[in-house]
Amino acid sequence: MEDKENKEIEKALDLFKKSEYEKAIEAFNELLDKDKNNPNILNNIGLCYMKLADDERASEYFIKSLSFNPKAVQTYINLADVYFRNNNIIEGINLLENGVTLMPGEIALKHYLSRFYLKDCRYDLAMTELFEILDIDADNLDAYWDLGNIQFELGDYDSAVENYENVLEHITTNAVMYYQTAITYEAADNIDKAISNHLKAVSCNENFEPSYKKLGILFMARSDNQSAIEYFEDYLKFDLPKDERKNIEDLITRLQINT
């Protein structure tokens, strides 16, 4: 009997893995007929509906699953994802606050909660959750990065770059991260550091278009017209809108005259 049930579960999961979500729902429902209060099956059906973009049905199953297992971390996360993509921020906050109260040591729930707080512009509460995460896990790079993003939004650029640099000590191949760090240094009037990080961005990804323009602007601000021209010309190699291309070409012409 147990072997048969295991095979039925494997069949349902296999259908899910193959993205045959409607058939997976049928298979999970057959299992649910035999065990109506099984939180794992309810969660899996919710996931199928989530994949089918039927978020209302997905929410119903996730909520029912949590009623039978209120400490299922992954189900909280699944339901939170549905709330976030539908901009149901208050519902998400209430859900995750409940989860964090039940499981205060669960970093994943605290991290999700911080992002809901951030979406609701509750910056202090978001930072509190992130600092608590770092108290639990001092090497949590996601928490450092999100904390830096909040500090950037609040204009605390020195603190932001400190947190970004904590991340970049470990992740050295992400152009977007170098770009964000660069524009934060620029906002803090540290042009040299801004240039250094934009150069790292294009070193990671030679097709990272935004940093070429920024490098042109920053070298121009340092009156290094030759370097500015070089990076503006690199920027022109990309597929730019007509007006943008014309503006950069005119800028290069002016720089050449003054060089």
Side-chain angles (χ1 to χ4, degrees):
M1 189 69 162
E2 187 176 337
D3 287 345
K4 181 182 178 183
E5 186 176 336
N6 287 337
K7 286 180 180 179
E8 289 174 348
I9 292 171
E10 288 177 10
K11 174 189 172 184
L13 291 172
D14 189 51
L15 288 167
F16 181 87
K17 291 173 184 175
K18 291 177 179 177
S19 302
E20 297 181 31
Y21 302 119
E22 292 178 350
K23 290 182 179 179
I25 289 171
E26 291 179 10
F28 282 125
N29 272 318
E30 288 177 9
L31 289 163
L32 197 62
D33 287 339
K34 303 168 188 174
D35 189 359
K36 294 186 181 299
N37 300 334
N38 188 308
N40 293 328
I41 296 173
L42 290 164
N43 176 68
N44 288 336
I45 294 173
L47 280 171
C48 291
Y49 280 117
M50 188 176 172
K51 293 291 187 180
L52 292 168
D54 189 343
D55 288 345
E56 184 175 349
R57 296 294 299 279
S59 296
E60 290 174 8
Y61 279 93
F62 291 142
I63 290 169
K64 191 171 182 180
S65 175
L66 286 171
S67 72
F68 295 114
N69 183 6
K71 289 190 174 183
V73 174
Q74 189 57 52
T75 306
Y76 276 98
I77 291 172
N78 295 338
L79 184 53
D81 281 335
V82 171
Y83 284 150
F84 198 86
R85 76 184 188 185
N86 285 281
N87 207 34
N88 296 332
I89 303 305
I90 300 304
E91 291 91 334
I93 288 172
N94 291 337
L95 169 76
L96 292 163
E97 284 180 341
N98 181 61
V100 168
T101 299
L102 288 172
M103 298 166 283
E106 284 293 343
I107 287 175
L109 296 184
K110 296 178 80 64
H111 213 140
Y112 266 73
L113 181 56
S114 74
R115 289 175 177 175
F116 273 84
Y117 281 146
L118 179 58
K119 185 78 170 177
D120 203 40
C121 299
R122 304 188 201 182
Y123 299 113
D124 289 346
L125 290 175
M127 287 195 291
T128 296
E129 294 300 327
L130 292 169
F131 281 126
E132 289 180 3
I133 289 170
L134 290 170
D135 285 340
I136 298 168
D137 177 12
D139 296 323
N140 193 296
L141 301 183
D142 287 335
Y144 281 119
W145 188 258
D146 284 355
L147 192 56
N149 288 338
I150 294 171
Q151 291 160 336
F152 177 84
E153 290 296 324
L154 295 175
D156 184 359
Y157 303 123
D158 290 339
S159 296
V161 294
E162 181 179 345
N163 283 300
Y164 291 153
E165 292 289 7
N166 282 334
V167 177
L168 291 173
E169 285 180 11
H170 303 277
I171 300 175
T172 59
T173 57
N174 190 307
V176 174
M177 288 183 172
Y178 280 121
Y179 178 83
Q180 180 62 35
T181 305
I183 64 173
T184 308
Y185 274 121
E186 182 183 358
D189 293 323
N190 191 332
I191 302 303
D192 288 345
K193 285 282 191 179
I195 288 173
S196 174
N197 278 277
H198 281 304
L199 289 172
K200 290 174 183 177
V202 298
S203 177
C204 290
N205 180 1
E206 63 181 12
N207 295 315
F208 193 73
E209 173 186 323
S211 280
Y212 287 100
K213 181 178 181 180
K214 280 288 189 179
L215 283 164
I217 292 169
L218 292 170
F219 278 118
M220 187 171 64
R222 281 207 324 197
S223 299
D224 184 348
N225 290 355
Q226 194 58 51
S227 295
I229 291 169
E230 176 186 341
Y231 283 102
F232 281 136
E233 287 178 341
D234 286 337
Y235 180 56
L236 286 175
K237 294 175 184 176
F238 294 97
D239 185 18
L240 305 177
K242 185 177 179 180
D243 289 347
E244 173 75 348
R245 179 171 295 279
K246 176 74 164 55
N247 290 336
I248 297 299
E249 287 172 345
D250 290 345
L251 187 54
I252 290 173
T253 299
R254 291 199 298 273
L255 289 170
Q256 288 171 332
I257 291 171
N258 295 320
T259 298

